[in-house]
């Protein structure tokens, strides 16, 4: 019997046996002991399951990865040290030097930099398309060497909503998977795999942890993409890996296990971007209340978006839960339970007014963070997105006057009073 999502938040991923710890144990050990070299050799040949070195896998992390896989309705998952590592692993696991990826232009600034600068240096090329492009425009972005399509369910910070079915259809027509970064929506608000996405990534640093306590990421594989049917495109999964005695991941581990097995065996082995078991434990405390917190984040943000929209000193508000928002219809389809806690808006008077407003806030602190219990705000053009010029900012849907407000779990009346007094001073 499949449990409902609230039950998975609380109890998923870990089932203690009789007399075992009720809470997930923190296995604070880099190594694991075996009785014979043969036993250990079988692990190195990927012929047996087990742990031998925490750079690749740790039991605490695996319990929590399993919970997130269940939350997303996926087949397998792995934790990473950050959201950046998760997106890098998800893409680099199937696209390497000489390959090409189609990505939505409306994505997190760090991911944009990873793709457009760092992965470009590694020989992977990206074509960025507007999330609002027509199916024809999307199709025209593909090349013979395209290996994946990438987008964010709710983009950080532009708050565009991805038409997951449109992007999935385009990817599948070309025989490649759709990777969706579901950080802002979380599986509580949207499960991209159910709409046709193949791989889901997270910065667990955000709502999943929810308390700004532990950095982390996660990659979830839906397990349904048929790598072998497109074996010419995915030699890494469909031809022998000489570094593991010729294992063919898609054969040995099947559609359900191949993607995460390969990412663990190769990328985690070689890059080691592993989450610490301490961080995984903290992440799990956040996951236990994710369903309760997301509902309140959404309620608070909806009320504050409506308050800002009616305020004379506010130039514009972007929140897909507002009836006039360009993404309202897509949000009704993909985010029926709420549009997360992040609202963006422009203060009349532009850049300078935005900075004055932010300095006057008492509850909403200025922080390079988003999606946690405490309300915080950010001016992307002067911080997270400062590497982008005005044209790139516009293409990414982040105008220079944009203030990103991450609405927390405080009293919404207190928050509105704080916003009102800060706006009075502008
Ligand atoms: C923050 C964020 C990331 C990067 O995650 P880190 O945990 O900071 O490395 C990736 N994608 C989205 C949508 C984010 O908000």
């Amino acid at each position: 019997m499949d449990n409902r999502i609230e039950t998975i938040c609380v109890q998923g991923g870990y089932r203690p046996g009789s007399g075992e710890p009720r809470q997930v144990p923190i296995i604070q050990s880099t190594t694991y002991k075996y009785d014979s070299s043969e036993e250990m050799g079988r692990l190195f040949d990927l012929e047996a399951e087990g742990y031998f070195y925490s750079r690749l896998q740790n039991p605490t992390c695996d319990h929590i990865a399993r919970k997130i896989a269940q939350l997303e309705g996926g087949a397998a998952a792995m934790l990473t040290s950050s959201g950046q590592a998760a997106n890098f692993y998800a893409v680099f696991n199937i696209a390497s030097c000489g390959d090409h990826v189609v990505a939505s232009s409306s994505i997190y600034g760090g991911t944009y930099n990873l793709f457009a600068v760092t992965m470009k240096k590694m020989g992977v090329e990206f074509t960025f398309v507007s999330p609002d492009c027509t199916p024809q425009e999307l199709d025209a972005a593909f090349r013979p060497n395209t290996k994946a399509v990438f987008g964010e369910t709710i983009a950080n910070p532009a708050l565009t909503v991805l038409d997951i079915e449109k992007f999935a259809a385009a990817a599948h027509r070309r025989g490649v998977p759709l990777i969706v970064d579901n950080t802002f929506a979380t599986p509580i608000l949207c499960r991209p795999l159910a709409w046709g996405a193949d791989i889901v990534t997270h910065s667990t640093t955000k709502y999943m942890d929810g308390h700004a306590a532990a950095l982390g990421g996660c990659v979830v594989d839906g397990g349904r993409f048929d790598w072998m049917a497109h074996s010419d495109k995915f030699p890494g999964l469909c031809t022998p890996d000489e570094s593991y005695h010729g294992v063919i991941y898609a054969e040995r581990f099947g559609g359900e296990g191949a993607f995460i097995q390969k990412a663990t065996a190769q990328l985690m082995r070689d890059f080691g971007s592993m989450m610490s078991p301490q961080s995984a434990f903290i992440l799990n405390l956040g996951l236990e209340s994710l369903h309760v917190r997301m509902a309140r984040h959404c309620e608070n943000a909806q009320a504050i978006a409506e308050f800002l929209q009616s305020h004379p000193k506010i130039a514009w508000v972007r929140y897909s839960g507002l009836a006039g928002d360009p993404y309202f219809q897509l949000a009704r389809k993909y985010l029926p339970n709420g549009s997360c806690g992040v609202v963006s808006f422009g203060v009349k008077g532009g850049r300078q007014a935005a900075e004055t407003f932010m300095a006057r806030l008492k509850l909403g602190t200025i922080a390079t963070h988003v999606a946690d219990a405490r309300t915080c705000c950010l001016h992307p053009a002067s911080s997270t997105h400062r590497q982008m010029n005005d044209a790139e900012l516009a293409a990414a849907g982040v105008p220079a006057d944009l203030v990103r407000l991450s609405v927390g779990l405080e009293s919404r009346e207190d928050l509105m009073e704080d916003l009102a007094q800060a706006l009075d001073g502008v």
Side-chain angles (χ1 to χ4, degrees), residues 81-85 87 107-108 110-111 150 152 154-156 181-184 201-206 215-217 370 404:
S81 54
S82 68
Q84 287 296 101
N87 281 328
I107 54 175
Y108 174 63
T111 308
F150 182 95
E152 291 179 9
I154 305 176
N156 174 12
D181 180 332
N182 199 34
T183 297
F184 268 22
T201 60
H202 283 279
S203 166
T204 64
T205 318
K206 313 296 166 51
L215 209 72
V370 69
R404 183 185 70 185

Side-chain angles (χ1 to χ4, degrees), residues 39 43 58 64 94 115 125 183 187 201 228 289 312 348 357:
E39 267 185 86
L43 298 179
N58 170 287
I64 313 312
I94 45 176
F115 290 173
E125 276 204 70
T183 297
T201 60
M228 277 302 195
S289 63
K348 282 183 187 164
F357 160 77

Side-chain angles (χ1 to χ4, degrees), residues 41-327:
R42 283 163 44 76
L43 298 179
F44 274 91
D45 286 350
L46 303 180
E47 274 165 6
E49 273 191 54
Y51 299 92
F52 54 92
Y53 191 46
S54 290
R55 184 186 346 113
L56 286 89
Q57 270 183 296
N58 170 287
T60 308
C61 295
D62 281 353
H63 289 307
I64 313 312
R66 205 172 303 125
K67 177 182 279 191
I68 297 176
Q70 290 170 5
L71 286 171
E72 288 288 6
M78 70 196 293
L79 298 186
T80 57
S81 54
S82 68
Q84 287 296 101
N87 281 328
F88 174 62
Y89 279 27
V91 174
F92 199 63
N93 205 31
I94 45 176
S96 52
C97 186
D99 290 337
H100 173 259
V101 175
V102 175
S104 164
S105 60
S106 188
I107 54 175
Y108 174 63
T111 308
Y112 178 82
N113 207 64
L114 169 69
F115 290 173
V117 181
T118 300
M119 290 191 75
K120 188 171 181 207
K121 288 182 196 159
M122 303 170 91
V124 184
E125 276 204 70
F126 288 78
T127 297
F128 295 95
V129 295
S130 162
D132 308 328
C133 64
T134 65
Q136 293 71 30
E137 287 166 336
L138 187 49
D139 197 58
F142 282 77
R143 299 179 191 169
N145 58 341
T146 301
K147 298 298 169 74
V149 177
F150 182 95
E152 291 179 9
T153 313
I154 305 176
N156 174 12
L159 303 184
T160 52
V161 178
L162 191 73
D163 189 340
I164 300 171
E165 287 191 317
K166 176 177 78 181
F167 275 72
H172 297 160
R173 249 195 321 275
R174 300 296 193 119
V176 303
L178 172 64
I179 304 170
V180 173
D181 180 332
N182 199 34
T183 297
F184 268 22
T186 82
I188 303 303
L189 303 181
C190 180
R191 299 167 99 193
L193 298 175
W195 294 105
D198 301 286
I199 291 147
V200 166
T201 60
H202 283 279
S203 166
T204 64
T205 318
K206 313 296 166 51
Y207 287 118
M208 283 191 165
D209 164 29
H211 301 80
L215 209 72
C218 186
V219 182
V220 183
D221 176 21
R224 286 193 302 265
F225 192 84
D226 189 350
W227 306 107
M228 277 302 195
H230 308 284
S231 57
D232 54 319
K233 285 192 200 299
F234 304 105
L237 284 151
C238 304
T239 59
D241 177 358
E242 295 313 331
S243 71
Y244 280 105
H245 306 290
V247 61
I248 299 173
Y249 293 97
E251 266 181 18
R252 172 82 64 86
F253 302 104
E256 299 231 319
F259 189 85
I260 295 295
Q261 271 288 346
K262 175 179 180 292
T264 301
Q266 295 179 342
L267 304 183
M268 216 38 117
R269 176 194 64 189
D270 295 349
F271 294 109
S273 321
M274 194 57 187
M275 187 184 287
S276 80
Q278 297 275 351
S279 290
F281 180 88
I282 292 168
L283 165 59
N284 189 46
L285 294 180
L287 291 173
E288 288 182 5
S289 63
L290 184 65
H291 54 304
V292 182
R293 292 184 291 106
M294 288 313 290
R296 181 59 69 87
H297 278 296
C298 291
E299 278 169 35
N300 278 2
Q302 182 74 36
I304 281 169
E306 288 167 11
F307 162 79
L308 288 169
Q309 196 177 35
S310 65
H311 197 287
K313 291 197 176 170
I314 296 295
W316 55 269
V317 181
R318 181 55 58 76
Y319 186 70
S320 63
L322 292 176
D325 191 87
Y327 295 94

